[in-house]
Amino acid sequence: MAKKKEYTCVLVETDGEGITWITFNRPEKRNAMSPTLHVEMEEILFGLETDEDTKVIVLTGAGNSWSAGMDLKQYFRETDKDPVGRFRAATAHRRWATELLTWSRKPSIAMVNGYCYGGAFVSLAACDIVIAAENATFGLSEVNWGIIPGGNVSKVFGDMVSYRNALFYAMTGRTIDGRKAVELGIATLSVPAEKLREETVAIARELMAKSPMVLAYTKQAIRAVRGMDMDQAYEYLGAKSMALRAADPEQTRARGMREFLDEKKFRPGLEPLKRPVSEK
Ligand code: COA
C-alpha cells in the first residue's frame, strides 16, 4: 500500500512494492542534520520496524546532498549552552542510527546522491548497502572546523577504510568521489547519477526476493561478529543458526535442502530460492 508522510525535516514514502524511501529533506541546508531531524528519524525508524508494508528501507537526500553532516548551527553552536538539548539530539541520533537502523530486521540501502560529510558517516555506516552516484562527494571536514571526527565518526570511518586511509582522510579533510569511495570501502558500488535510483530499486527488489527472516539473521550475524574474537564468533553463530531454524516461518533451510538434494529443482549457487507466493 502506498503511503506518504511529511515531517519537518524528513519525507517518508512507502511504495506499493515494499520499499520505504526516507529522504532527508532540508535541501536548502544541504540536509545537515538538526536536532529536529534526529528526533523525527528516531520516531520514523521505530515505526518502520513493525510496519508490514516496509520490506527494504532506502535512505537518501533531497537536492544535491545526501547529508552535509551535523548542523553546525543548530546541533553544535545553539546547543553549546543547552546541554539538555544537545543530550536529546545526540541520543536521538545514536538511537536511530546505531541502534534502530543498524540492527533493524529490514535491509537498508543508503542511496548517496551528493554530499556526505562528517556526522553523516554514522548514518551511512548504519545502512547495510551503500550505492553512491559517481559524482557524490564524501569527506571528513572536521579538521577544517577545529574539531575531531567525534560522535563515533572516527570509529565508523576507521571500521570502513584501512588504518592508513582513516588517518590520511581525517587529517587532510580531502574529499572522495563515488568511485574512490568504493575503492576505499565506504560505498558498496557506484553508478552514474542518472542510474542511481534504477540501480537502487534493482537491488531492493533482489533483497525482497529473499526470505525476510533469513536476511535479518544474516545481516545481524555479519554485524555482530565484527566485535567478537574467533571463539566468541563460533559460539554466537552456532546459537544464531539454531535460533533461525526455530524462528523462520518459511522453513527456508529445510525447503532449500529438499529442493536441491531430493527434488533436484533448485541450485542455490545459481538462482534464488523461489519463495511461496503468499509470503512475498
Ligand atoms: N551545518 C549547517 N549548515 C550547513 C551545513 C552544516 N553542516 N552544510 C551546509 N549548510 C548550510 C550553509 O550554511 C548554507 O546556509 P545559508 O543558505 O543559510 O547560507 C546552505 O547550507 C548551503 O550551503 P553552501 O555552502 O552555500 O552550499 P554548497 O552547495 O556551495 O556547498 C557543502 C555544500 C556541503 C560543500 C558546504 O555547505 C559545506 O562544506 N558544508 C559543511 C559540511 C561539513 O563540514 N560538515 C561536517 C560538519 S561536522
Side-chain angles (χ1 to χ4, degrees), residues 109 129 131 189 198-208:
I109 302 173
I129 294 170
I131 309 174
L189 68 151
E198 187 185 316
E199 188 64 31
T200 302
V201 170
I203 291 177
R205 286 184 178 145
E206 196 176 327
L207 293 170
M208 287 191 287

Side-chain angles (χ1 to χ4, degrees), residues 28-30 32 64 68 70-72 115 117-118 141-142 145:
E28 71 291 351
K29 298 293 178 192
R30 306 300 180 260
N64 68 350
M70 288 302 184
D71 189 307
L72 292 156
Y115 298 115
Y117 279 101
S141 49
E142 283 88 340
W145 290 110

